[in-house]
């Protein structure tokens, strides 16, 4: 079985990497840190012109109708470039609408996403909560009350898709951010490039998006997409470390010649490639059966999430360590990967929650095969 991407997806990757190498990267990320804007508007407009926001939207709604492979490729390149644009937030909102939206909801929001006129975001967090399976935000009738935080790219968004407890359990709800009862505030987080917000809802209008089962199916798809984002960021941190090890001289030799450094670099490569294998399996499982997903999607998505977090955490932390004293300074770019690592770890439930989800999926598979 071949889990690799198609030639079209690989061509899209090359195009995306060339574009982001020219227009994004650490200099753009550093400029965004001191900006009051929620994201880099010029870069976002260019991303929209390239059709990336339309990639997953069906042609009937003004999109291009590409598959999940292309979305995964773009997520990886956005993560690699640390691009300060709400692409991942809108992509995850797009996946939720594609999976569980009604025809009216799709027509209203996906058309705007495809044209770049609207921006979406998603959120499950409630402060220090670690599990997406629970929510204190509560829906009564068609109104919702609660606080969701942190939500990436909230302040630049037009619609939020969040988890809340309704009559049937925890599921997704769609919130028009221009509605009464909606208050948005900036939330300070460790990631100074991707802005986060706090959403306070007081008897605000809420539309249900699918069912509790759809919510868990969306979590699996979001796990695959964010695994590719984490993979891109991890690979960039690894490449930065290796380049420094080849350039920095200490005691008359390049530091990459020392066993303690080369072994760390080798461990980075192993973790990144292991994460890539799991992410590719997740992408295949997400796209199987004409996009409805394979039976092992939950298992594949959970493994992709866990292995990508392991790779990103290791590469981001060792990048700082192997740069020595300079790695801890404000002037060093190491901080971007470390900060993004912490943000991605907190973006979709804790590593332990996903590890437990993987164990449960494997137990069900083994029980079915017995």
């Amino acid at each position: 079985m071949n889990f690799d991407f198609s030639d079209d997806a690989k061509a899209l990757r090359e195009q995306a990497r060339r574009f982001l190498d020219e227009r994004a990267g650490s200099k753009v990320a550093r400029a965004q840190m001191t900006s009051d804007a929620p994201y880099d508007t010029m870069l976002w407009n260019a991303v929209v012109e390239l059709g990336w926001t339309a990639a997953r939207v069906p042609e009937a709604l003004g999109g291009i109708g590409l598959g999940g492979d292309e979305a995964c490729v773009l997520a990886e390149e956005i993560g690699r470039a640390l691009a300060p644009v709400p692409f991942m937030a809108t992509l995850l909102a797009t996946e939720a609408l594609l999976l569980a939206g009604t025809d009216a909801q799709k027509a209203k929001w996906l058309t705007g996403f495809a044209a770049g006129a609207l921006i979406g975001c998603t959120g499950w967090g409630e402060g220090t909560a670690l599990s997406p399976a629970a929510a204190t935000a509560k829906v009564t009738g068609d109104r919702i009350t609660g606080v969701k935080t942190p939500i990436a790219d909230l302040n630049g968004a037009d619609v939020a898709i969040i988890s809340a407890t309704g009559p049937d359990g925890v599921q997704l709800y769609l919130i028009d951010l221009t509605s009464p009862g909606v208050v948005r505030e900036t939330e300070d987080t460790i990631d100074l490039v991707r802005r986060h917000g706090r959403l306070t809802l007081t008897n605000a209008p809420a539309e249900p998006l699918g069912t509790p089962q759809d919510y868990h199916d969306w979590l699996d798809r979001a796990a695959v997409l964010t695994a590719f984002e984490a993979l891109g960021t991890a690979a960039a941190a690894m490449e930065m470390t290796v380049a420094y090890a080849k350039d920095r001289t200490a005691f008359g030799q390049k530091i990459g010649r020392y066993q303690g450094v080369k072994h760390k670099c080798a461990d980075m490569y192993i973790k990144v490639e292991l994460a890539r294998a799991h992410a590719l399996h997740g992408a295949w499982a997400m796209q199987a059966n004409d996009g409805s997903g394979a039976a092992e999607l939950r298992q594949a998505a959970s493994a992709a999430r866990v292995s990508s977090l392991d790779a990103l955490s290791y590469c981001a932390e060792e990048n700082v360590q192997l740069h020595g004293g300079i790695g801890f300074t404000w002037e060093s770019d190491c901080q971007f990967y470390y900060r993004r690592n912490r943000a991605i770890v907190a973006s979709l439930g804790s590593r332990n929650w996903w590890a437990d989800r993987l164990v449960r999926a494997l137990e069900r598979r083994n029980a079915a095969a017995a």
Side-chain angles (χ1 to χ4, degrees):
M1 186 176 293
N2 181 14
F3 292 142
D4 201 1
F5 290 132
S6 66
D7 290 341
D8 288 343
K10 291 177 181 176
L12 178 62
R13 179 204 301 280
E14 292 179 7
Q15 179 208 53
R17 187 166 298 185
R18 284 197 302 271
F19 169 77
L20 292 170
D21 283 348
E22 294 175 0
R23 302 288 295 271
S26 60
K27 289 184 179 178
V28 175
R30 191 174 290 277
Q32 180 63 24
M33 289 169 57
T34 57
S35 171
D36 293 329
Y39 55 87
D40 187 321
T41 306
M42 291 183 63
L43 181 59
W44 178 244
N45 290 340
V47 165
V48 172
E49 288 180 6
L50 287 170
W52 294 2
T53 57
R56 287 287 285 146
V57 178
E59 293 182 18
L61 298 175
I64 303 174
L66 298 178
D69 285 2
E70 286 77 7
C72 291
V73 163
L74 292 174
E76 183 177 352
E77 294 307 313
I78 286 285
R80 181 187 186 89
L82 301 166
V85 291
F87 177 78
M88 286 302 300
T90 303
L91 178 61
L92 297 182
T94 299
E95 287 298 325
L97 284 161
L98 288 173
L99 179 70
T102 64
D103 289 343
Q105 288 170 333
K106 292 177 181 176
K108 180 177 181 180
W109 298 107
L110 289 181
T111 305
F113 290 172
L118 299 174
I119 293 171
C121 66
T122 60
W124 65 272
E126 295 180 344
T128 58
L130 299 175
S131 168
T136 60
K138 189 173 181 180
V139 173
T140 304
D142 60 352
R143 301 285 167 168
I144 183 171
T145 296
V147 177
K148 309 297 287 190
T149 183
I151 299 179
D153 296 307
L154 172 66
N155 289 334
D158 300 282
V159 59
I161 295 174
I162 62 170
S163 62
T165 301
D168 298 324
V170 179
Q171 66 172 83
L172 293 173
Y173 286 87
L174 191 151
I175 312 295
D176 185 335
L177 294 174
T178 63
S179 301
V182 174
V183 175
R184 286 184 280 182
E185 302 168 279
T186 300
E187 187 79 283
D188 292 332
T189 66
I190 193 171
D191 190 342
L192 302 179
V193 178
R194 176 182 293 164
R195 304 295 166 76
H196 289 69
R198 177 187 183 89
L199 180 63
T200 302
L201 303 165
T202 306
N203 211 28
E207 295 179 27
L209 196 63
T211 65
Q213 180 60 48
D214 290 329
Y215 172 45
H216 281 274
D217 290 344
W218 172 78
L219 283 172
D220 292 334
R221 291 167 183 273
V224 173
L225 292 168
T226 54
F228 275 95
E229 181 194 18
L231 179 62
T233 307
M238 176 185 69
E239 290 166 9
M240 182 180 179
T241 310
V242 172
Y244 184 73
K246 289 180 177 178
D247 181 67
R248 175 80 168 119
T249 298
F251 304 108
Q253 295 192 74
K254 302 296 184 185
I255 63 172
R257 292 179 63 88
Y258 294 112
Q259 192 174 58
V261 174
K262 69 172 67 175
H263 282 193
K264 291 284 189 182
C265 292
D267 288 343
M268 285 185 183
Y269 179 78
I270 291 169
K271 289 181 180 295
V272 167
E273 291 307 305
L274 180 62
R276 187 180 304 283
H278 281 297
L280 286 169
H281 183 205
W284 169 83
M286 188 171 69
Q287 272 299 103
N289 299 322
D290 294 327
S292 61
E296 64 262 45
L297 175 57
R298 181 144 307 167
Q299 169 194 328
S302 301
R305 171 75 178 169
V306 170
S307 59
S308 68
L309 293 185
D310 289 347
L312 178 54
S313 295
Y314 187 82
C315 291
E317 291 170 6
E318 291 301 333
N319 186 30
V320 174
Q321 292 289 338
L322 292 178
H323 272 75
I326 194 175
F328 292 85
T329 64
W330 182 256
E331 290 74 17
S332 171
D333 289 341
C334 295
Q335 62 173 298
F336 294 120
Y337 303 105
Y338 183 82
R339 293 175 186 275
R340 182 57 52 86
N341 162 45
R342 303 311 303 165
I344 291 177
V345 166
S347 67
L348 201 66
S350 70
R351 181 195 180 282
N352 287 345
W353 187 83
W354 282 96
D356 183 71
R357 191 175 173 90
L358 173 59
V359 171
R360 302 284 88 77
L362 291 171
E363 287 177 343
R364 284 192 294 272
R365 185 198 65 176
N366 293 341

